[in-house]
Short mmCIF file of all heavy atoms in Angstrom, two decimals:
data_model
loop_
_atom_site.label_atom_id
_atom_site.label_comp_id
_atom_site.label_asym_id
_atom_site.label_seq_id
_atom_site.Cartn_x
_atom_site.Cartn_y
_atom_site.Cartn_z
N HIS A 1 -113.53 30.38 -7.12
CA HIS A 1 -114.87 30.88 -7.40
C HIS A 1 -114.93 31.25 -8.86
O HIS A 1 -113.95 31.67 -9.45
CB HIS A 1 -115.18 32.15 -6.59
CG HIS A 1 -115.26 31.88 -5.12
ND1 HIS A 1 -116.30 31.25 -4.53
CD2 HIS A 1 -114.42 32.23 -4.08
CE1 HIS A 1 -116.13 31.19 -3.22
NE2 HIS A 1 -114.98 31.78 -2.92
N ALA A 2 -116.12 31.17 -9.40
CA ALA A 2 -116.28 31.64 -10.76
C ALA A 2 -116.57 33.14 -10.71
O ALA A 2 -117.47 33.56 -10.02
CB ALA A 2 -117.42 30.89 -11.43
N GLY A 3 -115.86 33.89 -11.39
CA GLY A 3 -116.09 35.33 -11.41
C GLY A 3 -114.81 36.08 -11.08
O GLY A 3 -113.77 35.49 -10.86
N PRO A 4 -114.90 37.40 -11.04
CA PRO A 4 -113.70 38.18 -10.76
C PRO A 4 -113.24 37.96 -9.33
O PRO A 4 -114.03 37.74 -8.44
CB PRO A 4 -114.13 39.63 -10.97
CG PRO A 4 -115.60 39.61 -10.96
CD PRO A 4 -116.05 38.24 -11.29
N VAL A 5 -111.99 38.05 -9.17
CA VAL A 5 -111.40 37.82 -7.87
C VAL A 5 -111.52 39.13 -7.07
O VAL A 5 -111.11 40.19 -7.51
CB VAL A 5 -109.92 37.41 -8.01
CG1 VAL A 5 -109.30 37.24 -6.63
CG2 VAL A 5 -109.81 36.17 -8.83
N LYS A 6 -112.08 39.04 -5.90
CA LYS A 6 -112.21 40.18 -5.02
C LYS A 6 -111.14 40.10 -3.98
O LYS A 6 -110.91 39.02 -3.44
CB LYS A 6 -113.58 40.19 -4.34
CG LYS A 6 -114.71 40.41 -5.27
CD LYS A 6 -115.99 40.43 -4.47
CE LYS A 6 -117.18 40.50 -5.38
NZ LYS A 6 -118.40 40.47 -4.68
N ARG A 7 -110.57 41.13 -3.68
CA ARG A 7 -109.56 41.16 -2.64
C ARG A 7 -110.27 41.42 -1.33
O ARG A 7 -110.90 42.43 -1.13
CB ARG A 7 -108.57 42.26 -2.89
CG ARG A 7 -107.88 42.12 -4.21
CD ARG A 7 -106.39 42.06 -3.95
NE ARG A 7 -105.72 41.90 -5.23
CZ ARG A 7 -104.94 40.91 -5.47
NH1 ARG A 7 -104.70 40.02 -4.59
NH2 ARG A 7 -104.34 40.82 -6.63
N PRO A 8 -110.19 40.49 -0.47
CA PRO A 8 -110.83 40.71 0.82
C PRO A 8 -110.05 41.75 1.61
O PRO A 8 -108.84 41.86 1.47
CB PRO A 8 -110.78 39.35 1.49
CG PRO A 8 -109.75 38.57 0.77
CD PRO A 8 -109.59 39.20 -0.57
N GLN A 9 -110.78 42.39 2.39
CA GLN A 9 -110.14 43.37 3.24
C GLN A 9 -109.56 42.65 4.41
O GLN A 9 -110.20 41.75 4.97
CB GLN A 9 -111.16 44.39 3.73
CG GLN A 9 -111.70 45.22 2.61
CD GLN A 9 -112.73 46.20 3.13
OE1 GLN A 9 -113.11 46.16 4.29
NE2 GLN A 9 -113.15 47.11 2.29
N LYS A 10 -108.41 43.07 4.76
CA LYS A 10 -107.73 42.40 5.85
C LYS A 10 -108.25 43.00 7.13
O LYS A 10 -108.04 44.15 7.43
CB LYS A 10 -106.23 42.57 5.75
CG LYS A 10 -105.66 41.87 4.55
CD LYS A 10 -104.19 41.97 4.57
CE LYS A 10 -103.63 41.30 3.33
NZ LYS A 10 -102.22 41.33 3.25
N THR A 11 -108.89 42.14 7.84
CA THR A 11 -109.37 42.51 9.15
C THR A 11 -108.88 41.48 10.11
O THR A 11 -108.44 40.42 9.73
CB THR A 11 -110.91 42.59 9.21
OG1 THR A 11 -111.41 41.32 8.90
CG2 THR A 11 -111.45 43.65 8.30
N ALA A 12 -109.04 41.71 11.35
CA ALA A 12 -108.54 40.80 12.38
C ALA A 12 -109.33 39.51 12.38
O ALA A 12 -108.80 38.45 12.68
CB ALA A 12 -108.60 41.47 13.75
N ASN A 13 -110.57 39.57 11.99
CA ASN A 13 -111.42 38.37 12.03
C ASN A 13 -111.48 37.68 10.68
O ASN A 13 -112.11 36.65 10.54
CB ASN A 13 -112.82 38.75 12.46
CG ASN A 13 -112.87 39.16 13.90
OD1 ASN A 13 -111.98 38.77 14.66
ND2 ASN A 13 -113.85 39.96 14.26
N SER A 14 -110.89 38.22 9.65
CA SER A 14 -111.07 37.65 8.33
C SER A 14 -110.21 36.41 8.07
O SER A 14 -110.54 35.61 7.22
CB SER A 14 -110.77 38.71 7.27
OG SER A 14 -109.42 39.08 7.35
N PHE A 15 -109.11 36.22 8.77
CA PHE A 15 -108.28 35.02 8.56
C PHE A 15 -108.61 33.98 9.61
O PHE A 15 -108.94 34.33 10.74
CB PHE A 15 -106.80 35.36 8.66
CG PHE A 15 -106.33 36.17 7.49
CD1 PHE A 15 -105.99 37.50 7.66
CD2 PHE A 15 -106.22 35.62 6.24
CE1 PHE A 15 -105.55 38.26 6.60
CE2 PHE A 15 -105.77 36.39 5.19
CZ PHE A 15 -105.44 37.70 5.35
N ALA A 16 -108.47 32.75 9.19
CA ALA A 16 -108.71 31.66 10.14
C ALA A 16 -107.54 31.59 11.07
O ALA A 16 -106.42 31.90 10.68
CB ALA A 16 -108.89 30.35 9.40
N PRO A 17 -107.76 31.20 12.26
CA PRO A 17 -106.64 31.09 13.17
C PRO A 17 -105.64 30.05 12.66
O PRO A 17 -105.98 29.11 11.96
CB PRO A 17 -107.26 30.65 14.48
CG PRO A 17 -108.71 30.52 14.27
CD PRO A 17 -109.01 30.88 12.87
N GLN A 18 -104.43 30.21 12.99
CA GLN A 18 -103.33 29.36 12.57
C GLN A 18 -103.57 27.92 13.00
O GLN A 18 -103.24 26.99 12.27
CB GLN A 18 -102.01 29.88 13.15
CG GLN A 18 -100.78 29.14 12.67
CD GLN A 18 -100.54 29.33 11.21
OE1 GLN A 18 -100.85 30.39 10.63
NE2 GLN A 18 -100.01 28.33 10.55
N GLU A 19 -104.13 27.75 14.11
CA GLU A 19 -104.39 26.40 14.63
C GLU A 19 -105.38 25.67 13.73
O GLU A 19 -105.19 24.51 13.40
CB GLU A 19 -104.94 26.51 16.05
CG GLU A 19 -105.05 25.18 16.71
CD GLU A 19 -105.52 25.34 18.14
OE1 GLU A 19 -104.98 26.16 18.89
OE2 GLU A 19 -106.44 24.59 18.47
N ASP A 20 -106.41 26.37 13.24
CA ASP A 20 -107.39 25.74 12.35
C ASP A 20 -106.74 25.37 11.02
O ASP A 20 -107.00 24.31 10.44
CB ASP A 20 -108.57 26.69 12.11
CG ASP A 20 -109.46 26.83 13.33
OD1 ASP A 20 -109.34 25.96 14.22
OD2 ASP A 20 -110.26 27.77 13.37
N VAL A 21 -105.84 26.24 10.55
CA VAL A 21 -105.15 25.97 9.30
C VAL A 21 -104.25 24.75 9.47
O VAL A 21 -104.20 23.87 8.60
CB VAL A 21 -104.34 27.20 8.85
CG1 VAL A 21 -103.45 26.88 7.66
CG2 VAL A 21 -105.27 28.35 8.52
N ASN A 22 -103.58 24.66 10.58
CA ASN A 22 -102.71 23.50 10.84
C ASN A 22 -103.52 22.21 10.91
O ASN A 22 -103.11 21.17 10.36
CB ASN A 22 -101.92 23.70 12.12
CG ASN A 22 -100.84 24.73 11.99
OD1 ASN A 22 -100.45 25.07 10.88
ND2 ASN A 22 -100.34 25.25 13.10
N VAL A 23 -104.66 22.28 11.58
CA VAL A 23 -105.53 21.10 11.68
C VAL A 23 -106.01 20.70 10.30
O VAL A 23 -106.01 19.53 9.92
CB VAL A 23 -106.72 21.37 12.64
CG1 VAL A 23 -107.74 20.26 12.54
CG2 VAL A 23 -106.22 21.51 14.07
N LEU A 24 -106.39 21.72 9.51
CA LEU A 24 -106.86 21.43 8.15
C LEU A 24 -105.73 20.83 7.30
O LEU A 24 -105.94 19.87 6.57
CB LEU A 24 -107.36 22.70 7.48
CG LEU A 24 -108.83 23.02 7.71
CD1 LEU A 24 -109.17 24.37 7.08
CD2 LEU A 24 -109.70 21.97 7.13
N MET A 25 -104.54 21.39 7.41
CA MET A 25 -103.41 20.88 6.64
C MET A 25 -103.05 19.47 7.09
O MET A 25 -102.75 18.60 6.26
CB MET A 25 -102.19 21.81 6.81
CG MET A 25 -102.33 23.12 6.07
SD MET A 25 -102.64 22.92 4.34
CE MET A 25 -101.07 22.40 3.76
#
C-alpha cells in the first residue's frame, strides 16, 4: 500500500485460514 504501514490488530478473524493460504500458494 502507499502510505504508512499500519499494524493490524491480531484478532481471530483477521488472518485468512491456512487452507486458503495453501490454495493461494
Side-chain angles (χ1 to χ4, degrees):
H1 294 286
V5 177
K6 293 182 186 178
R7 302 237 179 237
Q9 294 179 353
K10 293 185 182 180
T11 61
N13 291 337
S14 64
F15 289 110
Q18 185 66 32
E19 188 177 312
D20 288 343
V21 172
N22 288 342
V23 169
L24 272 175
M25 288 304 286

